[in-house]
Amino acid sequence: MPSLTRGPKNARKQVDDRRVEFERRVLRAVEELLADGTPYTEIAVQKIAAASGSARSTFYRYFPDKSQLLIRMAELATADLFDAAETWWRADHDDMAGVVRAIGSMIAGFREHRYLLLALSEVAAYDRDVGRYWRGRVASFVDVVRTRLKTDRAAGRIDSSVDPIATAVVLTAMVERSITAAFAANSVVTDEALAESLGRAIWLVVYGDAPEA
């Protein structure tokens, strides 16, 4: 019996591996095409397929349109970026250095995929599917922050006047817009300075008026 199940499982794994490899090729191709400043909307599907070394028919089998392509590419590009911040929000908070490190990891992830993420921010403003995806992704992060703030307030670790929902929205928007603004323009702010400033701002908003231990 084991031999009967091994084949299908191995076949599924091979299919999954091929999909992952294909998607990462497409991600690299899209980022290279965006790097010269060409807007995402002006990059033809045929050009993306050719740059990724795939047939147009294969491309459409995975991505029915460019909106779905951008959404999937964003999922790949932001996986580690969000994970670093979410890990900090779920971990013990000892000092400001921890949040600075988490924000630093987010900034590093954004820099690696900056062309795609800037395109995502632009397209999300007018494309319904992309906008819905991105708002949902940000909302899930807001919920992580809100849950932690609610728990810390109940435990007396932060001031009782802190509103978990409003504060979670403010902090998330601050980080998202600050990083996007820094990368969208020819900013003179270094990644390290940006991480320090954002980390300090988050720490002070949450714990700056915390009750004395």
Side-chain angles (χ1 to χ4, degrees):
M1 290 298 292
S3 61
L4 296 178
T5 60
R6 188 177 302 117
K9 287 182 180 179
N10 288 341
R12 284 196 300 272
K13 184 178 185 305
Q14 290 175 0
V15 170
D16 290 342
D17 288 345
R18 283 198 300 271
R19 182 184 183 102
V20 169
E21 193 275 333
F22 171 73
E23 289 180 338
R24 296 205 171 276
R25 278 205 334 264
V26 173
L27 174 59
R28 288 193 298 271
V30 171
E31 291 184 322
E32 288 171 1
L33 292 169
L34 288 168
D36 66 0
T38 303
Y40 181 73
T41 53
E42 295 180 13
I43 301 176
V45 167
Q46 182 58 46
K47 194 169 185 178
I48 298 173
S52 62
S54 57
R56 186 168 178 156
S57 58
T58 302
F59 186 91
Y60 277 118
R61 188 163 68 246
Y62 288 97
F63 309 113
D65 55 52
K66 284 175 64 180
S67 294
Q68 295 306 311
L69 166 64
L70 185 56
I71 289 170
R72 180 53 184 155
M73 296 301 98
E75 289 176 344
L76 294 175
T78 61
D80 293 339
L81 185 153
F82 276 105
D83 184 62
E86 290 175 358
T87 296
W88 181 80
W89 278 106
R90 292 189 174 106
D92 292 335
H93 295 173
D94 297 322
D95 53 34
M96 192 186 301
V99 66
V100 171
R101 285 193 297 272
I103 294 298
S105 295
M106 286 190 74
I107 292 171
F110 198 105
R111 178 167 291 285
E112 182 182 359
H113 300 291
R114 60 191 179 279
Y115 301 115
L116 178 78
L117 296 177
L118 289 173
L120 173 69
S121 179
E122 177 189 348
V123 176
Y126 56 79
D127 184 289
R128 182 169 55 186
D129 291 338
V130 175
R132 184 186 300 117
Y133 158 74
W134 188 238
R135 288 191 298 274
R137 186 64 187 89
V138 171
S140 67
F141 182 75
V142 169
D143 193 56
V144 170
V145 179
R146 178 196 61 79
T147 299
R148 177 55 184 264
L149 294 176
K150 186 177 180 180
T151 299
D152 278 0
R153 189 178 69 172
R157 288 190 287 268
I158 62 177
D159 192 83
S160 60
S161 66
V162 173
D163 184 304
I165 298 176
T167 304
V169 170
V170 167
L171 292 177
T172 302
M174 176 180 69
V175 172
E176 180 196 11
R177 296 316 306 162
S178 295
I179 296 177
T180 300
F183 279 83
N186 293 321
S187 175
V188 296
V189 179
T190 66
D191 291 0
E192 292 75 16
L194 184 60
E196 287 283 349
S197 296
L198 281 173
R200 178 179 176 79
I202 292 168
W203 184 266
L204 291 177
V205 167
V206 178
Y207 298 107
D209 56 357
E212 292 291 334

